[in-house]
Amino acid sequence: MSDVEAITALGDPVRRRVYDYVVAQDHEVGRAEAADAAGIQRTLAAFHLDRLADAGLLDVVFRRPPGRSGPGAGRPAKLYRRSAADHVVSLPPRDYGTPAALLAEVVESLGAESDLERVARRHGRTAGESAEGGVEEVLARQGYEPYRTDGAAGVVRMRNCPFHAVAREFPPLVCGMNLALVEGLLEGMGETELRARMRARPGECCVEITSKNNDD
C-alpha cells in the first residue's frame, strides 16, 4: 500500500484502538489479547489486525507458546507487533529527509556538534515553557511513544525516535542533539527531580528519563 493508504487504514476508530494497543506493548500481541484490550470480538480483532498488517503498519510473526514444542504442540500462534516501517504523508509531496541529512552532514563536517546541542537545548527549553500536561504526555505529542519500565521505578523510555531517518546515518550527532533537546524540555517544564540520559537500545530512542536519585 501507499503511505496515504496506510494512514487511511487508521481512520476506523476501532482499528485505531487496536493499533494503539499493539504498538504500546513490549511484547507481540495475539488476537485474543487485542480483542480483550479493544473490547471487541476475536474475529473482529483478527480482521483489524490483518488489515493493519496488510497496510504495513504491523508486522506478523508466528510463534508457539513458551514451553510447547514438538509434534503435539499445535500450530504456532499468529502474533502482531509494531512495524519498523516509516509512513509519511504530505500533500503535495515534500521531501524533508534529504535536506535534514545534508544539514547533518554539514554540521558533522564542520565539527559544530556543540553548537547544534546548544540550539537544541534552547529549543527544548522554549517548548517546555509553553507545554501543557505531564512529561510523558508532552513526549507522546512529540512522537516519542514514552512508556514506563517494569521493575525500574521512575524510568521513562521511548519506543520511537522522531529523528530516526537521519539518526540512521548520523547516530552520534542526532543522539547528542536529541539528548540536549529533551534536557531543555525538562528544564523548561521545571522538572527539577528528573534528568535525561543517553541509554541506547535497539529499535528505541537513545534517550531515557529517570529520577536524579536513580543511579542504575
Side-chain angles (χ1 to χ4, degrees), residues 10-216:
L10 294 174
D12 184 289
V14 176
R15 188 175 302 149
R16 179 58 186 265
R17 194 158 69 244
V18 171
Y19 173 79
D20 287 343
Y21 177 78
V22 174
V23 302
Q25 307 312 305
D26 60 357
H27 59 272
E28 295 153 354
V29 175
R31 296 173 174 180
E33 181 181 348
D36 289 342
I40 57 178
Q41 294 182 342
R42 187 179 302 188
T43 53
L44 182 57
F47 168 76
H48 285 306
L49 287 166
D50 287 336
R51 183 72 174 81
L52 291 165
D54 290 341
L57 296 169
L58 297 179
D59 289 337
V60 177
V61 294
F62 292 90
R63 299 191 195 281
R64 285 193 173 92
R68 299 181 62 183
S69 61
R75 293 189 305 171
K78 189 175 185 180
L79 304 172
Y80 303 81
R81 65 188 179 195
R82 183 179 186 273
S83 172
D86 294 329
H87 297 280
V88 179
V89 175
S90 177
L91 297 174
R94 308 289 190 193
D95 178 10
Y96 301 106
T98 297
L102 293 174
L103 289 169
E105 185 174 349
V106 170
V107 170
E108 192 172 69
S109 65
L110 294 176
E113 290 87 350
S114 60
D115 293 322
L116 175 62
E117 292 169 12
R118 176 173 48 79
V119 173
R121 187 172 289 104
R122 185 176 68 231
H123 178 84
R125 189 183 306 117
T126 300
E129 289 170 351
S130 60
E132 297 181 357
V135 172
E136 291 175 67
E137 184 180 353
V138 173
L139 290 170
R141 289 200 297 267
Q142 298 296 322
Y144 282 98
E145 297 184 6
Y147 69 98
R148 288 191 175 270
T149 60
D150 294 331
V155 176
V156 176
R157 295 176 182 161
M158 294 168 273
R159 288 194 175 88
N160 183 52
C161 172
F163 320 111
H164 176 67
V166 183
R168 285 181 299 185
E169 294 186 53
F170 305 92
L173 178 71
V174 176
C175 286
M177 177 200 73
N178 196 18
L179 177 61
L181 187 65
V182 177
E183 287 176 337
L185 182 68
L186 294 177
E187 182 180 339
M189 294 181 69
E191 294 289 347
T192 58
E193 300 301 319
L194 299 177
R195 65 184 173 114
R197 65 184 181 184
M198 195 79 72
R199 190 64 65 89
R201 288 180 175 81
E204 295 193 358
C205 177
C206 59
V207 176
E208 69 177 20
I209 297 173
T210 184
S211 166
K212 289 185 176 179
N213 297 323
N214 189 343
D215 296 325
D216 293 343

